[in-house]
Amino acid sequence: MTSNPPFARPIAHRGLHDRQRGIIENSASAFAAAIERGFGIECDLQLTADGEAVVFHDDDLPRLVGGSGRVRSVPASELTALPLLGSAASDCPQAFAAFLDQIGGRAPLVIEVKKQANATDTTELAKRVVQTLASYQGPFVLKTFDPRMIVSLRRQGFQGPIGIITYGYDKPDWYGDMPARTRFMLRHLLHYPWTRFTFISCEQTALTLPAVRFFRAIGFKVMSWTVRSSDQAQAARRNADQIVFEGFDPDA
């Protein structure tokens, strides 16, 4: 089952995490906390060495589970046995299927399919995501930074909502060595004729970009990330339909 983008309630960024309390991002504990509060859940998917989709943000291991190496070089069985650093509950990363079993339709999901290093991995992750979601009965949408991932997900047969994640492409530490022409295309959402994204997930300081304002004006929903205070939430809601938040209580 899919639904329109889940804009009825604020969306907890990587679950309702709080490292000081031992609740780590993208963990079962963070997802349970979001469900308890009635928030939507955002999560991230990466591809393992054996072609499994796992709920994990980074493309390498050190920050979240220690050690070294890339997620793509580790089998799912090994990654999902490594405790998340700082987890009071000794949570480990979850396989995507296990995550869906945990949620069981109790919260709307915003699932970010992470950009991959090459076309082969993009296709493999897209295929696994679509296969895993085929029998899921809860509300969810997909989103990604990568226009090629949108195309790949569609080629694998996904017919539900897919959002493009965007920002101003004005932060060199974010875009690295990306060519200027590519940044221009992404900033202005010029890929729409071939990606046909169905909603926009926009960084909070870029909500007034002309392309974002145009698409919202013609009826596209916009969610804003990552909002970290009540003041930021108030500002974001002037130009977005819902917030993806962390570090504060949007209901307070």
Side-chain angles (χ1 to χ4, degrees):
M1 179 189 298
T2 60
S3 72
N4 291 326
F7 293 101
R9 290 283 288 143
I11 301 156
H13 185 231
R14 308 178 196 170
L16 196 60
H17 59 90
D18 183 347
R19 181 169 285 275
Q20 290 186 338
R21 296 174 54 212
I23 303 173
I24 308 305
E25 65 181 67
N26 277 324
S27 69
S29 295
F31 301 137
I35 291 170
E36 183 177 353
R37 292 291 310 280
F39 292 127
I41 291 171
E42 191 249 19
C43 69
D44 305 280
L45 297 182
Q46 293 281 10
L47 183 68
T48 63
D50 50 347
E52 288 296 328
V54 292
V55 181
F56 202 83
H57 176 270
D58 298 358
D59 60 7
D60 58 13
L61 304 180
R63 183 177 71 91
L64 292 169
V65 294
S68 61
R70 303 185 72 79
V71 175
R72 186 67 175 105
S73 67
V74 178
S77 59
E78 181 177 328
L79 180 61
T80 57
L82 297 173
L84 291 161
L85 297 177
S87 173
S90 297
D91 285 321
C92 297
Q94 292 178 292
F96 185 35
F99 162 76
L100 294 177
D101 286 344
Q102 179 195 357
I103 306 304
R106 293 179 293 161
L109 302 178
V110 180
I111 301 164
E112 179 179 345
V113 187
K114 302 298 287 186
K115 182 178 180 179
Q116 299 300 295
N118 54 59
T120 299
D121 289 358
T122 297
T123 298
E124 190 168 352
L125 180 56
K127 181 178 181 179
R128 190 65 185 131
V129 169
V130 174
Q131 289 174 339
T132 306
L133 285 168
S135 61
Y136 184 67
Q137 295 300 305
F140 69 90
V141 297
L142 303 180
K143 66 175 183 176
T144 182
F145 277 98
D146 188 0
R148 293 166 297 186
M149 182 62 78
I150 295 179
V151 173
S152 189
L153 288 162
R154 292 299 190 206
R155 286 176 176 168
Q156 294 301 320
F158 184 71
Q159 298 180 355
I162 304 179
I164 187 68
I165 311 172
T166 193
Y167 66 102
Y169 287 89
D170 52 358
K171 298 175 173 63
D173 56 330
W174 286 14
Y175 64 69
D177 59 357
M178 183 182 292
R181 64 182 180 275
T182 303
R183 299 199 307 272
F184 183 88
M185 181 268 292
L186 293 170
R187 175 185 175 91
H188 296 289
L189 303 178
L190 299 179
H191 50 76
Y192 177 72
W194 50 276
T195 58
R196 297 290 177 171
F197 56 81
T198 58
F199 68 96
I200 296 169
S201 180
C202 184
E203 195 269 328
Q204 57 165 327
T205 66
L207 287 166
T208 57
L209 282 172
V212 176
R213 294 182 62 152
F214 168 77
F215 277 100
R216 189 166 187 244
I218 63 172
F220 282 64
K221 295 292 187 180
V222 176
M223 63 178 64
S224 180
W225 56 272
T226 301
V227 175
R228 293 182 170 89
S229 72
S230 296
D231 288 345
Q232 289 182 358
Q234 184 176 7
R237 284 182 169 125
R238 288 195 285 267
N239 295 292
D241 301 283
Q242 192 50 272
I243 61 169
V244 179
F245 75 94
E246 70 177 23
F248 80 107
D249 187 346
D251 286 346

